[in-house]
Amino acid sequence: MAILEQIKTPADPAPTKPVMELRGLKKAFGTLEVLKGIDLAVPAGEVLAVIGPSGSGKSTLIRCMNMLEVPTGGTLAFRDQPVARRFRTRAGSIGMGTLRRHVGMVFQHFNLFPHMTVLDNITRGPCVVLGENRAKAEAHAMDLLAQVGLADKRDAYPAHLSGGQKQRVAIARALAMRPDMLLLDEVTSALDPELVGEVLGVIRKLADDGMTMVLVTHEMGFAAEVASRVIFMEGGMIAEEGTPDAILRNPKSERLRGFLSRFHG
Amino acid sequence: MYNWDFYTVLLSLDLFMWGIWMTFLYTVGSILIGTGVGLLTCFARLSRFAVLRLLARSYQEIFRCTPLLVQLLWAYYALPMLLGFSISNSTAGLMVLSLYVGAFYAEIFRGGILAVDKGQAEAAQAVGMSQVQTMTNVILPQALKKMLPAYINQSVIQVKNTSLLYAISVAELTYMTAMVNSATYRPLEAYTLTALLYFAMLFPLTQIADHFERRMRRSD
C-alpha cells in the first residue's frame, strides 16, 4: 500500500474562482450517452485527477473541456464566460478557438507533428495562432525545452525520440501557448514503465508551480501525490469526489473499493 | 530485310519538335488546372455539406467511368450542339484533359488527407488552430508526402493521354507523327521515333516517382 504513504494533505479549502465550470454537461454519440450530466468546477491552481474504469467517460469529459468533443447538452464556462459551439468568439460567449488557446491539451499518444522538428512543434502554435514572432516563440520554446530537460533535442524529429521524450515535448508544446489550464489525457498510458517517471516528474513540477490541471490517469500513486482533488467516474457520472485521502484511502462505495483494489494488487 | 531510313523522317524534325512542345503545353496546362480542380473536388468530398459531396462524387464518377477518347469526341463534336456555339479543338482538349485528370487527382488527394492520423488534426486544434490553419500547417504537408508518388504516376499517365488529342486534330506529338508518316510513308521510323521521344520524356518522371516512394518508405 505504498501509495497511501504518499497521500498529501487536503488542499487549502479557501474557495477560489473557477477557471472552468461545467453544468449538466452531456455528451452522446448517436444513441450512446457517454456523459450523463456532469457538474464540475475547477478552481485556479487545482490539480484534479479523474479516475475510473475504461468506458466510464473520463476521456470524453476531458475532451469536452476543450471542445475537441462538442457536448450535446449542458454548459461549459471558461472564466465565467459561456463557451459557444462555434470556432470564433462573438459578443456574449467565447468560441472554441479562444477556449483552446487558453486550455492546453496533452494526449495519450503524444500526437507530435512528425514533419516538424521539436522546436517547430512547439513554436508553430504560438506563431500561427497567437501571431508571435519567430524569435520570441523560439526563445520561449527553448526555455520550455530546458524545463523538460530536452534543450539538446531542439532540432530532432519526433521519430528519433523515445516515448518519454515525445511526451515531454508534447507538454512543452501545450505550455508554449501560455495556457491558463492544462488537460492531460492518460499521458503515461502509452509509455514503457521505465519512461513513466520522467513524464510524471515534469507534471509534478507544473503542479508545484501552481498550474491548473485536469488529469485523467491510471497512476493512482501519482494521483494521490499531486492531486488536490480526485473524482471517480462511472457510467458517465461522477460517482464520488473528494480529497485524494478520502477517495483513495477511504472509498465510500463498493464499486470504488473494487476499482482501487485492482491497482493495489 | 527492312531497310531502315530515319533520315527521311528526321528531315521533319521541326514537326516533331512542335509536337513535343504542344504535348508539353497540354500536359502542364491540364496538370495545373486539374490540380486545382482536384483540390476543390477533394475538399468538396470531405465537406460537411451533402450537396457538395454529391456534386463532387457525380463529377468524379462521370469522368472516371467513361473513356477519355469518348469524352474528347463528345466535348468537341457533341457539346457544341447543346451549347449552340462551337468550341475550338484546343479548348475542348484542354478542358476535357483537365477535368479527366482532376477527377483522379481528387481521389489521390483525398486518400492522402484521410491517411493522416486523426490525432494530428486534434493536436493542431488543441493549440487553437482553425480548420484552415490545421489543414495548411499540419495535414497537407503530411498528406502531400503520402500522395506524391501517386500524383506523379497519374501525371505520367496524363502525358500519354495527351496523345488522344490526335482524335480531335490537336497538333501534339502523335498528330504530328501521323502527318510526317503521311508525307514520308515511313510509319515504322516515324512511330518508333515518337515512341522513343515519349519514353525519353516519361522515364525520368517514373524514376522521380520511384525515388519519392522509396524515400517515403524509409521515413515511415
Side-chain angles (χ1 to χ4, degrees), chain A residues 16-23 38-44 46-48 61 65 76-77 80 181 212-214 229 231 238 241:
Chain A
T16 40
K17 240 180 173 198
V19 178
M20 184 174 279
E21 195 164 10
L22 287 60
R23 281 184 191 277
I38 304 285
D39 293 303
L40 183 68
V42 186
E46 178 172 69
V47 178
L48 175 70
L61 173 65
M65 293 172 96
L76 175 68
D80 284 341
M181 180 177 175
T212 310
M213 287 190 280
V214 179
R229 184 159 58 123
I231 61 176
I238 296 177
E241 71 173 285

Side-chain angles (χ1 to χ4, degrees), chain A:
Chain A
M1 300 283 270
I3 66 158
L4 295 183
E5 292 157 21
Q6 299 168 11
I7 287 176
K8 81 182 200 185
T9 50
D12 179 7
T16 40
K17 240 180 173 198
V19 178
M20 184 174 279
E21 195 164 10
L22 287 60
R23 281 184 191 277
L25 196 89
K26 289 183 182 172
K27 174 68 186 179
F29 297 98
T31 54
L32 180 71
E33 200 169 36
V34 179
L35 296 180
K36 297 172 180 168
I38 304 285
D39 293 303
L40 183 68
V42 186
E46 178 172 69
V47 178
L48 175 70
V50 183
I51 63 168
S54 54
S56 59
K58 315 184 289 292
S59 276
T60 305
L61 173 65
I62 204 172
R63 286 164 62 83
C64 280
M65 293 172 96
N66 75 346
M67 289 278 184
L68 273 185
E69 299 292 353
V70 179
T72 42
T75 60
L76 175 68
F78 179 74
R79 293 208 180 281
D80 284 341
Q81 286 181 291
V83 180
R85 288 165 174 77
R86 59 165 186 272
F87 188 78
R88 293 189 188 287
T89 292
R90 289 192 206 135
S93 61
I94 61 170
M96 298 191 280
T98 310
L99 174 76
R100 290 174 189 150
R101 274 181 225 175
H102 295 282
V103 180
M105 175 108 179
V106 184
F107 300 87
Q108 181 178 359
H109 295 289
F110 333 122
N111 300 2
L112 291 180
F113 307 131
H115 60 299
M116 298 182 198
T117 62
V118 164
L119 195 63
D120 278 341
N121 261 280
I122 300 171
T123 55
R124 191 55 65 98
C127 289
V128 169
V129 178
L130 303 178
E132 269 184 25
N133 71 48
R134 180 111 199 121
K136 186 183 166 199
E138 279 191 11
H140 187 209
M142 285 312 295
D143 194 32
L144 291 168
L145 277 175
Q147 282 179 42
V148 300
L150 290 171
D152 58 326
K153 298 287 183 193
R154 55 172 282 167
D155 296 320
Y157 281 88
H160 299 124
L161 302 178
S162 73
Q165 291 171 332
K166 282 181 195 169
Q167 199 58 296
R168 285 186 280 155
V169 172
I171 293 172
R173 177 174 68 179
L175 293 174
M177 297 294 291
R178 298 182 168 84
D180 297 354
M181 180 177 175
L182 210 51
L183 307 171
L184 302 127
D185 188 7
E186 298 196 30
V187 294
T188 57
S189 299
L191 298 178
D192 291 335
E194 73 269 23
L195 302 177
V196 169
E198 61 189 69
V199 173
L200 294 186
V202 170
I203 300 171
R204 188 179 294 118
K205 212 161 75 187
L206 287 171
D208 291 343
D209 292 345
M211 172 63 80
T212 310
M213 287 190 280
V214 179
L215 49 114
V216 170
T217 186
H218 290 296
E219 302 280 338
M220 294 304 153
F222 184 68
E225 181 197 341
V226 302
S228 35
R229 184 159 58 123
V230 179
I231 61 176
F232 171 63
M233 287 195 65
E234 195 174 47
M237 314 267 281
I238 296 177
E240 247 179 85
E241 71 173 285
T243 61
D245 189 47
I247 296 292
L248 301 172
R249 199 207 294 248
N250 303 305
K252 290 194 203 95
S253 68
E254 191 55 48
R255 285 200 172 130
L256 177 52
R257 267 197 292 277
F259 174 73
L260 290 174
S261 69
R262 274 180 270 155
F263 291 92
H264 297 157

Side-chain angles (χ1 to χ4, degrees), chain B residues 18-34 72 88-98 101 105 155 158-163 165-166 168-173:
Chain B
W18 178 255
I20 288 177
W21 174 238
M22 293 305 278
T23 292
F24 174 78
L25 285 185
Y26 278 92
T27 302
V28 171
S30 63
I31 283 176
L32 285 179
I33 300 172
L72 285 167
S88 71
N89 57 351
S90 51
T91 306
L94 186 64
M95 183 181 75
V96 168
L97 280 178
S98 303
V101 79
Y105 280 159
S155 304
Q158 185 68 357
V159 180
K160 295 192 282 188
N161 280 344
T162 58
S163 65
L165 291 172
Y166 168 75
I168 56 170
S169 309
V170 172
E172 45 65 61
L173 182 55

